[in-house]
Amino acid sequence: MPKDSLIVGLDIGSTKIAVCIGTVNEGVLHIIGLSSISHNGLRKGMVDDVEETVSAISHALEESERMAGVNISHAFVGINGGAIEANPAKGVIAISKANGEIDGNDVLRVIEAAKTVALPQNRELIHVYPQQFIVDGQDEIRDPVGMTGIRLEVDSLIISGSSASIRNLMKTVDQAGLEVDGLVFGPLAAAKSVTTKKQRESGVVVVDIGAGSVDLAVFEESKLLHCASLPIGSKHITHDIAIGLRKNLDVADAIKLKYGSVLPDKIREGELINLSSLDPAEDERISRKHVAEIVEARVSEMLHMIKDELQKIGKDGVLPAGVIFTGGGSEIDGLTELAKKVLRLPSEIGLPMAQLSGMIDKIDNPLYATSVGLVIWGMEDGSPAGLAPWRLNLGKFGGVIDKFRGIFRNFTD
């Protein structure tokens, strides 16, 4: 199989690295390789141990290559945490043609004008998303091409990340032997695999619960309204259990994964956890209800932080398609039930639902939502290595902008 027929998604989380390899045949994405490797090379979405992260990426690539029977040299890379921010930006230009007709070049120029919004020196541009175009004062225009006017404006959402975080991530991927086809904020990729066009039109928030951060993206009328990265994650739950029960982190993590719940009222008072089943060195029995109370407190805090983000944009409790959780941290028992109470929204766990073939049974896990979404992103954006409409090169950080053919598509497909 020619290497350039492959599309690869590389999701680098704080404690896990997930790789998905896909090919496209007659419009259907065929998944041929998957892998997931645990590691401790990132902290809050930022690389703090380059050697360990490179080793983990290499290991994950080897596993997925062995499964797919191919060699990987390039990938779409997901970025999470790392002080991701979303800010509004406006671009304004004069129409270039004498007859005032707007063409694709004008659209690119006005978006480029929005892209030049002043960012602090410690931040790098990742995405520019047009919200609406305005022609001579007429707003709410989705596609201005073919219209006539004198002045073209665009209201956009600018997504940026920490320069240090992006540079270190890119260098780490480079040292693992990969070229980067595109850098994508994780929840935007996950939304490609776990939401439908109808959900994005109605209004939905995708929440990726990672170990070090909670990343979210809000959509309505098929437009990206808001995104954010919150400094809290599933690792904080583990730390709370370790402190509350005075156990080491490995035991605390095992307790969380096997017995964790956010619904203490549904657990019997006398139900006990025999810790020797998790660690032969432990002989204590602890109350499962007490564990659930610890977990509920932290997850409730997490949900209230998400609620605050929705309040900022006036969407608290008013997104008909509700909240869709992805990421390894979303598998905690009772999450959707508690989320319905706190967020006052429909709630579900997001699993890849795009038109896929191949290893369907293996991707039936929220852990792979972002890596699968990255492959879908690459499929929709044109072509993999060499032909992608935008690619990043090490040492060249001026921001990324989708080219004209992808501007109006956004998440309408």
Side-chain angles (χ1 to χ4, degrees):
M1 181 182 299
K3 69 175 184 178
D4 284 352
S5 68
L6 302 173
I7 308 174
V8 182
L10 174 62
D11 177 24
I12 305 176
S14 293
T15 60
K16 281 189 173 61
I17 290 173
V19 175
C20 177
I21 305 174
T23 61
V24 181
N25 183 17
E26 296 183 353
V28 177
L29 179 60
H30 187 67
I31 304 300
I32 61 173
L34 281 172
S35 67
S36 171
I37 297 295
S38 297
H39 75 114
N40 291 297
L42 271 71
R43 183 173 179 271
K44 296 181 180 179
M46 293 182 276
V47 177
D48 69 351
D49 188 329
V50 172
E51 186 175 343
E52 178 167 351
T53 307
V54 171
S55 176
I57 293 173
S58 299
H59 190 184
L61 292 174
E62 288 171 7
E63 281 203 6
S64 57
E65 285 175 332
R66 192 179 307 116
M67 186 180 296
V70 298
N71 292 321
I72 299 171
S73 60
H74 54 84
F76 286 85
V77 178
I79 183 170
N80 296 284
I84 298 293
E85 291 182 3
N87 301 105
K90 194 175 190 69
V92 182
I93 63 163
I95 306 304
S96 56
K97 287 185 178 180
N99 63 3
E101 183 175 340
I102 300 168
D103 61 19
N105 286 329
D106 293 316
V107 174
L108 285 177
R109 285 196 303 120
V110 75
I111 293 176
E112 191 70 21
K115 194 184 83 169
T116 58
V117 61
L119 286 174
Q121 289 187 345
N122 64 343
R123 301 198 65 77
E124 297 288 348
L125 186 63
I126 302 174
H127 301 288
V128 178
Y129 275 92
Q131 304 293 318
Q132 67 166 346
F133 292 92
I134 304 167
V135 178
D136 292 349
Q138 179 185 345
D139 60 5
E140 296 295 330
I141 296 171
R142 180 174 178 79
D143 181 357
V145 173
M147 299 180 69
T148 58
I150 298 172
R151 175 187 173 98
L152 177 63
E153 303 171 59
V154 64
D155 290 330
S156 297
L157 190 66
I158 297 284
I159 303 173
S160 65
S162 157
S163 297
S165 175
I166 292 174
R167 290 176 186 272
N168 287 329
L169 181 67
M170 296 292 284
K171 288 177 181 177
T172 301
V173 174
D174 180 63
Q175 288 183 29
L178 289 180
E179 283 189 88
V180 177
D181 292 324
L183 187 65
V184 184
F185 182 43
L188 302 184
K192 292 282 190 181
S193 69
V194 302
T195 65
T196 64
K197 179 179 178 180
K198 184 176 181 180
Q199 287 173 322
R200 295 188 295 271
E201 287 177 345
S202 300
V204 66
V205 54
V206 176
V207 178
D208 185 349
I209 303 179
S213 66
V214 170
D215 302 289
L216 60 92
V218 185
F219 304 90
E220 190 176 60
E221 295 181 359
S222 295
K223 295 187 295 187
L224 176 66
L225 296 186
H226 180 65
C227 64
S229 181
L230 308 176
I232 190 172
S234 62
K235 187 180 286 186
H236 293 80
I237 300 172
T238 301
H239 291 173
D240 291 347
I241 294 173
I243 293 170
L245 302 179
R246 296 183 292 278
K247 301 298 176 184
N248 67 52
L249 289 173
D250 289 338
V251 172
D253 197 49
I255 293 171
K256 177 188 73 175
L257 294 174
K258 190 168 183 178
Y259 299 104
S261 172
V262 297
L263 304 173
D265 292 343
K266 293 193 174 183
I267 298 175
R268 299 191 317 272
E269 285 288 348
E271 187 172 347
L272 299 177
I273 301 171
N274 184 355
L275 295 186
S276 64
S277 66
L278 303 176
D279 185 346
E282 295 283 349
D283 59 3
E284 188 178 351
R285 293 175 180 266
I286 60 172
S287 166
R288 188 180 179 193
K289 188 179 186 71
H290 180 46
V291 171
E293 289 168 347
I294 294 172
V295 175
E296 181 195 30
R298 179 62 78 171
V299 174
S300 181
E301 178 191 10
M302 186 185 297
L303 293 173
H304 278 93
M305 291 174 72
I306 295 169
K307 186 180 181 71
D308 289 344
E309 289 296 321
L310 296 178
Q311 286 177 338
K312 289 179 184 178
I313 58 172
K315 295 301 174 183
D316 178 25
V318 292
L319 295 171
V323 55
I324 298 178
F325 292 101
T326 69
S330 66
E331 297 182 280
I332 196 82
D333 178 61
L335 173 63
T336 56
E337 193 169 333
L338 182 61
K340 289 174 184 177
K341 295 178 182 177
V342 175
L343 300 177
R344 296 181 297 116
L345 290 172
S347 175
E348 63 183 271
I349 303 300
L351 302 174
M353 61 172 64
Q355 188 176 12
L356 305 169
S357 68
M359 306 170 67
I360 305 301
D361 57 328
K362 294 187 180 295
I363 64 171
D364 190 23
N365 187 321
L367 172 65
Y368 290 113
T370 297
S371 58
V372 173
L374 287 166
V375 174
I376 297 171
W377 185 290
M379 178 182 72
E380 293 183 354
D381 235 45
S383 303
L387 297 177
W390 42 264
R391 297 185 64 193
L392 291 180
N393 296 309
L394 277 173
K396 187 176 182 180
F397 294 90
V400 181
I401 182 170
D402 292 341
K403 293 303 183 187
F404 175 68
R405 61 180 174 178
I407 285 171
F408 303 116
R409 185 181 64 241
N410 279 350
F411 287 84
T412 59
D413 294 339

